[in-house]
Amino acid sequence: MKVTILNPEETTKLFEYWGKASCVCYDTETETPEKVGKHCMNSGHFSGSRGRFILFKVEGCPRFTIDQAVRHEVGVMKNVQSFRYVSKDAFVYEIPVEITDNHELLEKYHAHMMNSRDLYCEIQEYVLNKTGSHERANEQARHVIPISTHADFVIGMTVEALIHFENSRLCIRAEDKIRELALGFKNATLELLPELKEKLVPNCQALLWCPEGHASCGAYPTKKQLKQMIAEVRANE
């Protein structure tokens, strides 16, 4: 999976744009808009940042992971590679990590994928000869494409939306591939905006308590445990 930021120059100017858009609130001097933008981020005032998107291009991503990523709506735009207009006659696919230690099962999996690829090509060729339309041929053949097929997509996020995505998807309980995607977004962003390091973290690190409840990994206390800890401290004051 490869993640690339499509608008790096614009992204590096995030705090400048953010500050310029926010200065009007308090009639602040605009000689140092970056400083204003960073102050807004640290104080949780994101309104001035919502007109700017960080555009990520993702290549070689399983379609089931794309389906998860595009569920994010607020402050997000996305365009996904079309299996109607793009032929997948040689599609690449994801391998379930838990079966890599089972040679027999792994061989069956690969055989299934090859059968799906062969059937795809047969349907594609038949419909193309029948209709003369590549679009129609791809459209009909895509019925047999596995959900683990790799595809590309572009997703744009405001910094607020990106922080929410990372808070949710960097959690150790997130599915491995969506977590890998979140790490890709994080690493690409921090190369341009290292100031976001403390923001692009799992929810538990941001909140200092775990919102996963009984499913917590134990790295941070649950909200109930944190309340108990606070109550004990107060009782001993």
Side-chain angles (χ1 to χ4, degrees), residues 12-14 46 81 84 88 97 114-115 133 145 161 169 174 176-177 186 199 202 210 219 224:
T12 57
K13 295 181 179 179
L14 171 67
F46 286 90
Q81 184 180 70
R84 182 185 188 192
K88 285 293 178 179
V97 67
M114 291 303 100
N115 288 336
S133 170
I145 293 180
R169 304 299 188 170
D176 54 355
K177 299 308 294 186
K186 175 181 178 177
K199 300 292 183 180
C210 174
K224 181 179 179 181

Side-chain angles (χ1 to χ4, degrees), residues 126-180:
Y126 174 77
V127 177
L128 179 60
N129 291 334
K130 180 180 179 179
T131 67
S133 170
H134 287 280
E135 290 179 16
R136 186 64 172 169
N138 293 342
E139 179 186 89
Q140 294 295 288
R142 68 180 175 177
H143 284 66
V144 301
I145 293 180
I147 197 171
S148 62
T149 299
H150 285 189
D152 302 342
F153 75 111
V154 171
I155 186 166
M157 297 187 229
T158 65
V159 64
E160 189 176 12
L162 177 62
I163 291 171
H164 171 71
F165 187 97
E166 298 298 303
N167 291 167
S168 301
R169 304 299 188 170
L170 284 175
C171 174
I172 198 169
R173 293 193 65 246
E175 189 177 1
D176 54 355
K177 299 308 294 186
I178 195 72
R179 191 161 180 255
E180 179 183 336

